[in-house]
Amino acid sequence: MSKDVMLKDGVLASQTIAALMERGVIDGAHPARLQPASLDLTLSSRAWRVRASFLPSRARTVAARLAGGLAMQEIDLSSGAVFERGCVYLVELNERLALPAGVEGAANPKSSTGRIDVFVRLVTDYGAAFDEIPAGYSGPLYAEISPRTFSILARTGSSLNQLRLKCGEFRLDDAALRRLNEQSPLVDGPADIAGGLGLSVSLRSEDGFVGWRARRHSALIDVDKVGALDRHDYFEPIAAPKSGFIILDPDEFYILASKEALAVPPDYAAEMTPISPGLGEFRVHYAGFFDPGFGWRPDEQGEGGINGSRGVLEVRSHDAPFVLEDGQLVARLVYEKMAARPERLYGETIKSNYQGQGLKLSKHFR
């Protein structure tokens, strides 16, 4: 299908993405940015402060929309620049695509991006939806960046979101998900499968606290510095409530953890879907992609099991205070079939920051 690269139905693995890079399907990418089932995208030197979030629509390019009055200021990221909280920016990415007719793309913020409350969405020319790349797309890629709680420092080469490529039919329906769970358990307990795998929130803890609430007016976060910050300067701990519930304040940002430990077997990937409005007036969906091997480890038979990796939940309430109870359903995971097993799994030989995680802040914090 694509210059001698044989593509099967499913989410493309790192080795296939690398082959497409070599053939010019993905231009401007570096092999060091490959993950088991995704590619970390990087900022170029060109950025704009814009008046508001926007989509080009099917009739226009991003450049045409910027020239039409949406751009307020052009910014050079070569030496780094501050992205202020509450503002919206657009950055041209280093990577360009020339996808074959049967390959589509999707994007999401990286885990570390979501955990510092930076809203990042992919934008394409003639795009009618964020984070979606239609099959056969050829052109540049842009990232819309809107820090919500903390201002950030970023520069050319910084990576805030990631790209996945998919072919044909790849999403598992509930029947297939139940069969997979019978073969290789996906959670460390009963599996709630209805429109995906249900996740509930944990608000009980033996060590006395169950989450973190972001502090406003904190110092700048350099997105490229790992382990540089004191978490207490940016977050305050949430004590385990004796009542069994907490009240989410509107427009505040929380880091919580799932009650369930998760596993993503090597031949699958998973994505956290936006919660149904019927489940509550809050959002649990920033960086919702799980690579093959997340929370999974091989046993003596090589079939694998769960290693205790919790789902970290980036939570924001909407317009009204909202009660969140221990064990309450807050999100669902949909599982997707890989087109091939990645040569390296999450947490094996690559630097995986969140394998075996519990309640964990982003990699920026000590």
Side-chain angles (χ1 to χ4, degrees), residues 301-318:
Q301 290 74 38
E303 297 178 354
I306 297 168
N307 77 351
S309 293
R310 306 278 162 178
V312 168
L313 310 170
E314 299 122 1
V315 181
R316 179 181 288 278
S317 184
H318 291 326

Side-chain angles (χ1 to χ4, degrees), residues 8-349:
K8 299 179 180 179
D9 283 5
V11 180
L12 302 190
S14 54
Q15 63 268 25
T16 307
I17 299 173
L20 294 178
M21 289 164 55
E22 291 176 359
R23 287 157 177 78
V25 172
I26 307 170
D27 185 44
H30 195 282
R33 295 290 187 173
L34 283 168
Q35 302 296 330
S38 59
L39 172 69
D40 290 347
L41 301 174
T42 56
L43 307 183
S44 77
S45 61
R46 298 189 70 198
W48 297 265
R49 168 86 182 274
V50 293
R51 294 166 58 189
S53 173
F54 70 90
L55 282 167
S57 83
R58 299 191 188 279
R60 284 172 286 189
T61 65
V62 171
R65 291 304 307 267
L66 288 171
L70 288 178
M72 298 172 63
Q73 176 190 14
E74 186 164 351
I75 303 168
D76 184 359
L77 297 184
S78 299
S79 300
V82 174
F83 292 68
E84 296 183 18
R85 70 182 183 95
C87 299
V88 183
Y89 302 85
L90 192 79
V91 183
E92 186 173 9
L93 299 177
N94 286 315
E95 297 77 18
R96 292 178 61 93
L97 298 181
L99 295 181
V103 179
E104 63 186 84
N108 59 275
K110 295 176 62 176
S111 293
S112 297
T113 306
R115 295 185 202 201
I116 56 173
D117 200 18
V118 178
F119 202 42
V120 179
R121 299 190 288 190
L122 188 79
V123 184
T124 64
D125 284 345
Y126 310 106
F130 293 109
D131 288 333
E132 296 179 7
I133 306 172
Y137 175 78
S138 181
L141 301 174
Y142 300 84
E144 178 192 287
I145 301 171
S146 180
R148 304 295 302 276
T149 298
F150 310 114
S151 296
I152 62 170
L153 175 64
R155 56 189 61 80
T156 303
S158 297
S159 181
L160 298 178
N161 64 341
Q162 57 192 171
L163 169 71
R164 290 166 283 135
L165 297 176
K166 308 175 183 183
C167 294
E169 298 296 325
F170 46 82
R171 183 159 290 185
L172 273 64
D173 61 19
D174 285 347
L177 192 57
R178 291 189 185 96
R179 290 194 295 270
L180 175 61
N181 183 65
E182 291 172 0
Q183 298 165 3
S184 180
L186 304 177
V187 291
D188 60 343
D192 174 5
I193 297 176
L197 177 67
L199 291 183
S200 61
V201 65
S202 175
L203 295 178
R204 298 189 187 278
S205 173
E206 295 180 358
D207 58 13
F209 78 101
V210 296
W212 298 93
R213 173 172 166 161
R215 299 181 187 273
R216 293 192 174 271
H217 313 295
S218 299
L220 199 64
I221 294 178
D222 187 327
V223 299
D224 295 325
K225 290 188 176 180
V226 177
L229 305 176
D230 185 332
R231 56 189 178 180
H232 293 283
D233 290 338
Y234 294 81
F235 289 89
E236 57 183 351
I238 301 172
K242 294 180 180 179
S243 62
F245 67 85
I246 62 174
I247 297 178
L248 302 177
D249 288 325
D251 206 33
E252 296 293 328
F253 180 67
Y254 301 83
I255 296 288
L256 304 171
S258 69
K259 187 173 285 291
E260 300 82 5
L262 309 173
V264 182
D267 295 309
Y268 299 87
E271 181 179 6
M272 191 179 295
T273 60
I275 192 167
S276 165
L279 294 179
E281 291 301 317
F282 60 95
R283 175 186 173 90
V284 183
H285 181 60
Y286 281 81
F289 179 65
F290 296 83
D291 270 303
F294 177 86
W296 183 93
R297 62 184 173 196
D299 55 22
E300 292 181 357
Q301 290 74 38
E303 297 178 354
I306 297 168
N307 77 351
S309 293
R310 306 278 162 178
V312 168
L313 310 170
E314 299 122 1
V315 181
R316 179 181 288 278
S317 184
H318 291 326
D319 296 330
F322 186 79
V323 171
L324 201 59
E325 297 188 73
D326 180 65
Q328 184 171 338
L329 180 68
V330 292
R332 290 198 179 274
L333 286 182
V334 294
Y335 279 69
E336 299 174 343
K337 178 184 68 173
M338 295 295 299
R341 179 175 291 199
E343 292 178 348
R344 295 186 301 168
L345 298 177
Y346 190 90
E348 277 190 335
T349 58

